[in-house]
Amino acid sequence: MAQDHGDGSQESTTREARCEDVLRLGLVPAPELPERVAGLIADELSELLERHTDDRHRWRVECVTDALIGAEDSTDNVIDQAERIKRDHGWHYVVCITDLPLFRDDRLTLAEASENLGVAIISQPALGISPLRRRLREAILHLVNEMHHGSDGEERERQQQHLEQGREARERSGIRNRNSRELMGWRLSERLVPIQRITPSDEHEKHVDVRFVSAAKWRGYAKLLGGMVRANRPWTILPAFRRVIAVAFATGAYGLIFPSLWKLSAAYELYRFVILMIAAMAAMVTWLILDHGLWEPRRYSGSNRLTGFYNLTTVLTLTAGVACYYVILFALFLAAVILFVPANLLETTVGQSINWLNFPALAWLAASVATVAGALGSSLESDETIRSATYGYRQQLRQRKVKERQAADEEAKTQGERQERSEKDDADPRS
């Protein structure tokens, strides 16, 4: 029995030693796009961390979605929120992937990390449109490297030597980053919008050891908008537009009966087709915004800059969706024109010789005219349907908060008017 007891103690000691060798990394993405991308890379991170960060430990990666990370417009407390989540789960390090734009000292921030707290934050929209999975994977590896090994010059130099020794292994893993001071490897996007590594010196930011910001302000903003539009999933607008497409196609098909469209399509020059197309799409985007209340008033938001970005994102998201809608309409009308409009009848109607270009020209004109009708037809859809199709998680959350603030403002205004009328009635001697 004593021998059995000794073996059990030795096995327990070995198990405890193994547990101490395990480093736990937590990924805390915001819902929807950050959550999906984090889920794709979580399984492979354990092996990558062991191979390229520290092979003396086994790594365990856990992914927990948290809608509260950066839920408010102010991102100053994200580090504190992340540190609390890390402590609650018993992780050694945590990397939060927020869908909010981060601004520090009026500079667009892609990521920041605290070595002492073991906390890092990545702004998913600031990474751009694609390849998001590879960028995010490299950014997480680098931030964990900074937190695990240190961020000062000497530690970065030692890590650079380590990277040089494992260059071939990193290439086999598909990791482009070969610089211990860069957030990710350089692709076309990073060449157009360079990333700058800085060490905050502000005494109010002692908890942040390293920060990565966009070195090109306006190009960085353009990249940010691309990431925000992708988070809104503009392609999801099309299923919600089924009735709108039906109304638009029916209107355009009815218009094709009359010879006016035929003659106009033969008489128009290229620039007229382009102007009419742009005007029709702009009219539809404007109508959608106004009719369904998609524009966010500045007075109901906590940050004018973020409100501007989100409003511009709404316009770009709708523009992308309407462009896809326009292409579908054009394809439908082109098929209808080719099938149902005889070439000799078209030539007789327009009074001039025609070629194969006259058919797509007629379909193009019909699509532009029908798009205006489709804008009016979008009123058939409910506000909730259009918002769900247009907005990703973050903007839906913002819209709900804006509506709540508007309702509270209107209620307060109504109560004030009632109180004012009551005071007037009390002061009136005739009452």
Side-chain angles (χ1 to χ4, degrees):
M1 295 293 293
Q3 181 66 34
D4 294 340
H5 179 74
D7 292 343
S9 300
Q10 183 176 1
E11 182 179 351
S12 176
T13 304
T14 304
R15 187 181 299 112
E16 291 176 1
R18 288 177 179 174
C19 291
E20 291 175 356
D21 288 337
V22 175
L23 294 180
R24 300 176 64 195
L25 169 65
L27 298 182
V28 185
E32 289 196 351
L33 181 59
E35 179 184 8
R36 290 197 299 271
V37 179
L40 291 174
I41 64 178
D43 293 338
E44 59 182 328
L45 274 179
S46 298
E47 181 180 352
L48 292 174
L49 288 166
E50 184 173 349
R51 185 183 303 169
H52 303 295
T53 299
D54 192 339
D55 58 2
R56 297 170 300 177
H57 304 275
R58 290 185 296 111
W59 292 81
R60 181 184 302 166
V61 179
E62 302 173 17
C63 191
V64 177
T65 303
D66 193 323
L68 298 179
I69 285 296
E72 299 295 334
D73 289 345
S74 175
T75 57
D76 296 335
N77 61 345
V78 176
I79 290 285
D80 296 332
Q81 294 179 17
E83 201 276 331
R84 173 183 54 78
I85 295 174
K86 179 178 78 76
R87 186 174 60 251
D88 292 343
H89 287 81
W91 295 330
H92 294 87
Y93 304 105
V94 63
V95 177
C96 294
I97 308 166
T98 181
D99 54 357
L100 280 172
L102 298 179
F103 291 94
R104 299 289 187 261
D105 297 329
D106 203 35
R107 302 190 68 177
L108 176 61
T109 299
L110 284 77
E112 57 186 11
S114 170
E115 179 184 348
N116 294 330
L117 298 178
V119 173
I121 307 293
I122 299 176
S123 174
Q124 167 261 312
L127 299 182
I129 299 177
S130 64
L132 185 56
R133 176 182 175 182
R134 295 179 182 178
R135 285 195 177 115
L136 191 59
R137 182 181 64 173
E138 291 185 12
I140 292 173
L141 285 174
H142 181 79
L143 292 172
V144 173
N145 194 302
E146 296 252 10
M147 292 186 292
H148 185 65
H149 293 289
S151 299
D152 64 29
E154 293 183 1
E155 290 162 333
R156 290 295 89 204
E157 190 62 36
R158 285 197 298 270
Q159 282 305 303
Q160 184 62 45
Q161 296 175 5
H162 177 73
L163 292 180
E164 293 295 337
Q165 295 173 359
R167 179 184 296 270
E168 294 182 0
R170 296 178 72 84
E171 291 178 352
R172 288 195 299 269
S173 300
I175 301 173
R176 291 193 181 186
N177 192 4
R178 302 173 182 175
N179 192 320
S180 66
R181 291 176 172 82
E182 291 180 356
L183 183 65
M184 62 189 76
W186 278 44
R187 298 173 176 85
L188 177 60
S189 176
E190 282 68 44
R191 297 184 185 278
L192 295 175
V193 189
I195 301 173
Q196 181 181 357
R197 181 183 189 274
I198 61 176
T199 302
S201 57
D202 193 339
E203 61 179 5
H204 298 294
E205 296 184 308
K206 292 181 179 179
H207 57 282
V208 177
D209 297 295
V210 62
R211 178 172 294 150
F212 296 90
V213 300
S214 175
K217 181 177 180 180
W218 297 108
R219 282 174 287 169
Y221 287 171
K223 186 176 179 180
L224 171 68
L225 285 171
M228 294 174 71
V229 170
R230 180 179 178 181
N232 275 351
R233 310 150 302 149
W235 53 87
T236 60
I237 294 178
L238 296 180
F241 275 11
R242 286 174 297 182
R243 286 193 291 182
V244 180
I245 292 176
V247 170
F249 182 72
T251 304
Y254 179 76
L256 285 175
I257 298 175
F258 302 98
S260 301
L261 283 181
W262 298 20
K263 294 178 180 179
L264 286 174
S265 66
Y268 275 4
E269 298 176 353
L270 178 61
Y271 76 92
R272 291 185 181 274
F273 285 105
V274 175
I275 292 175
L276 184 58
M277 176 185 66
I278 295 174
M281 293 175 61
M284 186 168 189
V285 170
T286 303
W287 181 260
L288 286 168
I289 291 174
L290 296 178
D291 188 50
H292 297 283
L294 303 181
W295 193 261
E296 183 178 314
R298 291 181 180 271
R299 66 179 180 275
Y300 293 114
S301 65
S303 170
N304 289 336
R305 175 164 51 188
L306 279 181
T307 300
F309 273 111
Y310 279 112
N311 282 332
L312 187 53
T313 299
T314 297
V315 173
L316 294 176
T317 302
L318 287 173
T319 301
V322 170
C324 295
Y325 156 90
Y326 190 94
V327 170
I328 292 175
L329 272 184
F330 174 78
L332 291 174
F333 282 121
L334 181 60
V337 168
I338 292 175
L339 290 174
F340 300 110
V341 177
N344 56 352
L345 180 59
L346 179 59
E347 188 171 17
T348 302
T349 303
V350 301
Q352 63 185 48
S353 60
I354 64 171
N355 55 38
W356 66 272
L357 289 174
N358 287 88
F359 291 95
L362 179 56
W364 195 354
L365 180 60
S368 297
V369 174
T371 296
V372 177
L376 300 177
S378 67
S379 300
L380 298 174
E381 300 292 348
S382 66
D383 292 347
E384 186 62 30
T385 299
I386 297 297
R387 289 196 189 102
S388 298
T390 305
Y391 290 153
Y393 165 80
R394 180 60 57 192
Q395 281 201 264
Q396 290 188 44
L397 181 63
R398 288 177 61 86
Q399 274 287 313
R400 286 196 294 268
K401 290 183 177 181
V402 167
K403 294 301 180 184
E404 290 172 359
R405 292 166 184 166
Q406 286 178 323
D409 191 17
E410 291 174 0
E411 179 65 23
K413 183 178 180 180
T414 302
Q415 290 181 356
E417 291 174 351
R418 290 175 180 172
Q419 184 176 359
E420 184 178 353
R421 285 197 300 267
S422 176
E423 291 175 354
K424 287 182 179 180
D425 292 340
D426 293 342
D428 189 349
R430 293 175 296 177
S431 63

